[in-house]
Amino acid sequence: MKPLRLGFAGFRHAHIFDLYQRALDHPDIEVSGTWENDPGASLLPGRDITPSHSSYEDLLASCEAVAVGDAYGRRGQIVLQALRAGKHVIADKPLCTSLDELKEIAVVAREKSLRIGMMLDMRDHGNLICLRDVVASGRIGEVQTVSFSAQHPLLWGIRPAWYFEPGMHGGTLNDIAIHALDFLPWVTGLTVEKTDAARTWNAKATQAPHFKDCGQFLLRLSNGGGILGDVSYLAPDKCGYAIPNYWRITIHGTGGFAETSYKAPGVSVADDNSQEPELIPPAPARPGGYLEDFLADVAGNPHADGITTCSCLHATRQALELELQAQKS
Amino acid sequence: MSPIRFAIIGGGASDPRDSGLEGHRILIEDPAVAIREKRAPMIPGRETRNVIQLILSAYESASAGHAVTISS
């Protein structure tokens, strides 16, 4: 198979380096080049990457697909320019920061039969795969309530400055809840039908009062069940990614419960006959699964239950609508 | 003055019939004793009313489908 020529546009969030390394290592990908609008302001200094192209147009001419890792607020236009040039796109999340941009992205992608992937890597985690298997086994009955915490550390002064510039971040719900909107339907087999409530507010990033660093919401599932989510930036700065409630997901069904988290040693499960919760070890992880899904989608053979153009656009639309609803509340 | 007596049973968690009543006993006993002793109860009526108002507001919000402001 001829390798997919993949160009990289923007290195403003550390996530993109995961994709960059995977692309370098992947036999079916040729990294055609890199471009950064302002290398000095990017995360490139100190890394062994020098932009190979001085303009985005030149980068687009070198590739068949673009990997987007620019600041959130610029991604929508970068994605649109790539699609208009006939290039597939894989982006760090979020894909864009407005519903208008998303609408246009969906139209151009459809008109030109182009594929869109996203770095929604929670689906690749062994605990999440195991959680999905537990739900699918029927052991906990029909899923009724999901509650999750995905509090992140704010890391003021450590995160890139653009994060806190007005108009550049796009909202806490759009940034973090997108993961849950992607993986919870995949885990539960249910769809998110409605937002019952959503709020965002500023609490910790007092230097940037427009930056609403707290976000909570209540969603309704297609079977009438519900999701309670908290994606605030209040996790402690130095160990926020290591505390037990980092991506802690608790699911109760009509016959039992299952719970896991990012750092948990597996999935805790108990059904109505259990004397105590059982710890089920994680399933084999799927490192880089999001990239494999994108490659399969581009090849016209999307993986069953994988991340697809359709699922990316759908989850992004729901995240942006959630953000909008919070702004109105 | 005769003492107020309450039964205390069990402490089980998996069968509601075995649930401990110690916490409830104190909550029931205290206002009764407070009346006899002519003192304020451990939990003033105003605080109890606020909790009930909060719960009723949650039901109202669920029923109406929108946020409900809780009057103080």
Side-chain angles (χ1 to χ4, degrees):
Chain A
M1 190 170 96
K2 195 178 156 195
L4 180 77
R5 282 178 292 123
L6 182 64
F8 279 76
F11 293 85
R12 299 303 178 100
H13 195 292
H15 287 158
I16 198 66
F17 294 105
D18 178 81
L19 177 54
Y20 184 75
Q21 192 57 52
R22 291 186 191 284
L24 285 179
D25 296 340
H26 203 292
D28 298 328
I29 295 176
E30 174 193 331
V31 175
S32 72
T34 53
W35 166 78
E36 170 51 59
N37 183 48
D38 183 355
S42 76
L43 300 181
L44 287 177
R47 294 178 189 259
D48 191 22
I49 304 172
T50 305
S52 59
H53 292 76
S54 57
S55 77
Y56 186 37
E57 289 74 15
D58 286 347
L59 179 80
L60 288 175
S62 76
C63 64
E64 300 158 85
V66 181
V68 179
D70 210 314
Y72 299 171
R74 286 197 290 270
R75 288 182 185 175
Q77 291 309 310
I78 287 173
V79 169
L80 273 168
Q81 196 175 339
L83 294 170
R84 289 185 186 122
K87 315 298 176 184
H88 304 290
V89 169
I90 180 168
D92 174 32
K93 56 82 195 165
L95 181 65
C96 60
T97 54
S98 84
L99 281 165
D100 287 343
E101 283 177 333
L102 180 68
K103 203 176 291 180
E104 210 172 341
I105 287 168
V107 167
V108 179
R110 187 174 61 243
E111 283 176 355
K112 292 182 174 279
S113 298
L114 294 166
R115 300 288 174 249
I116 294 169
M118 289 174 71
M119 297 177 63
L120 296 168
D121 56 0
M122 290 296 290
R123 291 198 197 193
D124 304 333
H125 195 295
N127 281 347
L128 269 289
I129 296 170
C130 180
L131 184 64
R132 183 175 189 250
D133 291 344
V134 167
V135 171
S137 75
R139 182 171 171 189
I140 67 167
E142 184 187 1
V143 170
Q144 287 295 323
T145 65
V146 179
S147 57
F148 77 91
S149 164
Q151 294 252 359
H152 281 58
L154 179 68
L155 297 170
W156 180 270
I158 295 172
R159 288 188 185 274
W162 63 260
Y163 220 75
F164 303 103
E165 290 173 17
M168 290 306 285
H169 180 258
T172 298
L173 300 178
N174 189 46
D175 179 17
I176 303 175
I178 177 78
H179 272 303
L181 290 164
D182 169 63
F183 75 68
L184 284 176
W186 173 78
V187 165
T188 63
L190 301 166
T191 55
V192 174
E193 295 286 295
K194 185 182 173 188
T195 302
D196 279 318
R199 279 187 69 216
T200 54
W201 67 99
N202 174 269
K204 190 169 182 177
T206 51
Q207 304 94 325
H210 64 276
F211 186 87
K212 296 184 174 177
D213 47 27
C214 293
Q216 296 182 318
F217 52 90
L218 174 63
L219 305 175
R220 200 173 304 189
L221 288 164
S222 48
N223 67 344
I227 297 172
L228 270 170
D230 186 336
V231 293
S232 306
Y233 280 97
L234 296 176
D237 273 348
K238 288 199 167 64
C239 64
Y241 295 113
I243 57 177
N245 71 333
Y246 181 63
W247 282 114
R248 174 182 278 169
I249 302 129
T250 307
I251 300 178
H252 282 84
T254 51
F257 107 111
E259 180 178 277
T260 192
S261 70
Y262 202 82
K263 293 285 185 182
V267 178
S268 295
V269 183
D271 57 42
D272 285 336
N273 295 315
S274 304
Q275 293 298 321
E276 58 184 28
E278 169 193 0
L279 181 69
I280 300 177
R286 193 173 168 245
Y290 69 86
L291 179 56
E292 298 302 331
D293 285 351
F294 174 65
L295 292 174
D297 202 14
V298 167
N301 300 306
H303 292 143
D305 298 326
I307 297 168
T308 63
T309 302
C310 186
S311 72
C312 288
L313 294 175
H314 185 68
T316 300
R317 181 173 59 78
Q318 289 194 319
L320 286 166
E321 286 175 349
L322 189 59
E323 188 68 51
L324 196 62
Q325 181 148 343
Q327 287 169 15
K328 288 177 182 171
S329 75
Chain B
M1 189 184 292
S2 59
I4 299 169
R5 294 180 181 279
F6 293 93
I8 303 172
I9 56 169
S14 59
D15 186 337
R17 292 170 298 184
D18 289 341
S19 292
L21 293 179
E22 180 62 16
H24 290 103
R25 185 188 66 79
I26 295 167
L27 292 173
I28 295 166
E29 187 180 61
D30 177 73
V33 174
I35 290 168
R36 284 186 173 170
E37 295 179 352
K38 299 186 186 329
R39 63 167 171 81
M42 189 168 56
I43 300 174
R46 178 177 292 277
E47 284 186 26
T48 310
R49 191 182 65 186
N50 288 347
V51 171
I52 293 169
Q53 191 172 17
L54 180 65
I55 292 164
L56 291 175
S57 298
Y59 277 118
E60 186 185 341
S61 176
S63 171
H66 57 68
V68 171
T69 301
I70 301 162
S71 53
S72 57

